Amino acid sequence: MLQCVADMNLSDTYGKVGVPRQLVIKRDSSSIPDAVTKAGLILPLVAKPLVADGSAKSHELSLAYDEYSLQKLEPPLVIQEFVNHGGVLFKVYIVGEAIKVVRRFSLPDVTKRELSKNAGVFRFPRVSCAAASADDADLDPSVAELPPRPLLERLAKELRRRLGLRLFNLDIIREHGRRDHFYVIDINYFPGKVRENAWVRTYIYGLPVKPRAKPIQEKIGIISKLLETLKNRNVEKGWHQMVFQNR
């Protein structure tokens, strides 16, 4: 799916959109260092599982600092060059023609000094979950500024055509220090948060959120309907009393 973005070579007056250089490893972790060298990927590298079953493991990221540690990764996975992006990513939800963008905190930047001092693989659980919202955080405007709307509209339109999807989301980052350079690092079709969460669906569509009835109100409503049903069926008075006593 990311290859579609790479094939676009999207660049206009609003900015440029690409994907980090990446490599798919389906098996044999011992071959990863050689494969990375042949592909010319530069450390540090982000590893993402190819498993997309909604489990905690499917959302786990690994950051590899040195070539030796690459053998500790567990295929099947995708390896991407890590791009410094100010610790913020943009989740772009696309629902038909509608586009909604939210900010999420992400992995922090990696300096050359940190790269020279650190070694091994650092594993991170789900990074950009809703709890990591950065919409209300006091951030540097150069980091927090949303991608230009016209650029997102053009990107969404082209991806709808190429992927044949009407409901999906993109994870986009801005290269730190380059205001108009963006990278799509992930694409999710029929994203779970939209599928499962009514609040998110209404939020994206711009519809009002209906308040959920309190449990006691729900119980009273159920009891009232039951009593009405009993009454309509001419149930003896004793049954009415039993219902009231056990409500």
Side-chain angles (χ1 to χ4, degrees):
M1 295 172 76
L2 286 177
Q3 190 58 43
C4 290
V5 180
D7 292 342
M8 276 184 227
N9 193 26
L10 179 57
S11 180
D12 61 20
T13 55
Y14 296 101
K16 182 177 181 179
V17 180
V19 297
R21 291 195 297 175
Q22 61 182 13
L23 185 65
V24 176
I25 304 293
K26 294 184 177 180
R27 54 183 178 273
D28 188 12
S29 58
S30 64
S31 67
I32 297 178
D34 286 340
V36 165
T37 300
K38 289 179 181 178
L41 301 187
I42 299 174
L43 295 164
L45 298 173
V46 178
K48 306 178 180 183
L50 281 179
V51 178
D53 58 3
S55 64
K57 186 175 180 60
S58 68
H59 294 289
E60 185 179 85
L61 297 181
S62 299
L63 190 60
Y65 279 88
D66 64 282
E67 186 176 337
Y68 174 76
S69 65
L70 294 173
Q71 301 181 54
K72 299 178 181 178
L73 299 175
E74 301 175 12
L77 48 80
V78 175
I79 296 176
Q80 288 180 344
E81 285 187 338
F82 181 76
V83 178
N84 283 335
H85 52 283
V88 172
L89 66 78
F90 306 99
K91 295 194 81 71
V92 182
Y93 291 95
I94 297 159
V95 187
E97 303 294 327
I99 299 175
K100 184 70 179 181
V101 187
V102 294
R103 298 184 190 88
R104 293 283 185 267
F105 285 113
S106 180
L107 298 178
D109 289 350
V110 178
T111 65
K112 291 183 178 180
R113 182 180 180 184
E114 290 173 335
L115 185 59
S116 64
K117 288 189 173 184
N118 291 319
V121 173
F122 293 82
R123 303 187 188 280
F124 300 88
R126 190 169 194 153
V127 175
S128 61
C129 62
S133 174
D135 279 335
D136 298 324
D138 185 15
L139 300 170
D140 183 337
S142 65
V143 172
E145 182 184 5
L146 299 180
R149 189 77 182 187
L151 187 69
L152 293 180
E153 290 174 349
R154 184 179 170 192
L155 176 62
K157 180 180 180 180
E158 189 62 24
L159 284 176
R160 281 196 299 266
R161 184 182 71 81
R162 290 173 180 251
L163 298 175
L165 298 175
R166 300 281 294 173
L167 172 58
F168 58 103
N169 89 275
L170 316 172
D171 288 351
I172 296 179
I173 58 175
R174 172 189 284 110
E175 186 174 356
H176 199 192
R178 305 187 74 178
R179 183 171 178 268
D180 59 351
H181 276 60
F182 301 92
Y183 291 90
V184 178
I185 59 174
D186 204 2
I187 300 178
N188 300 293
Y189 57 89
F190 204 39
K193 284 295 179 185
V194 177
R195 182 178 69 249
E196 300 166 5
N197 191 313
W199 187 90
V200 174
R201 286 200 301 271
T202 54
Y203 179 60
I204 292 172
Y205 278 110
L207 300 174
V209 181
K210 294 182 179 180
R212 178 174 173 79
K214 295 180 180 180
I216 186 63
Q217 293 173 327
E218 294 175 342
K219 290 179 181 179
I220 291 174
I222 293 171
I223 291 170
S224 298
K225 290 180 181 178
L226 177 59
L227 290 175
E228 186 66 26
T229 301
L230 291 172
K231 181 179 179 181
N232 292 338
R233 292 183 181 180
N234 296 318
V235 179
E236 293 181 359
K237 186 177 180 181
W239 282 97
H240 287 270
Q241 293 174 340
M242 184 186 74
V243 172
F244 273 112
Q245 290 169 358
N246 293 279
R247 67 185 184 277

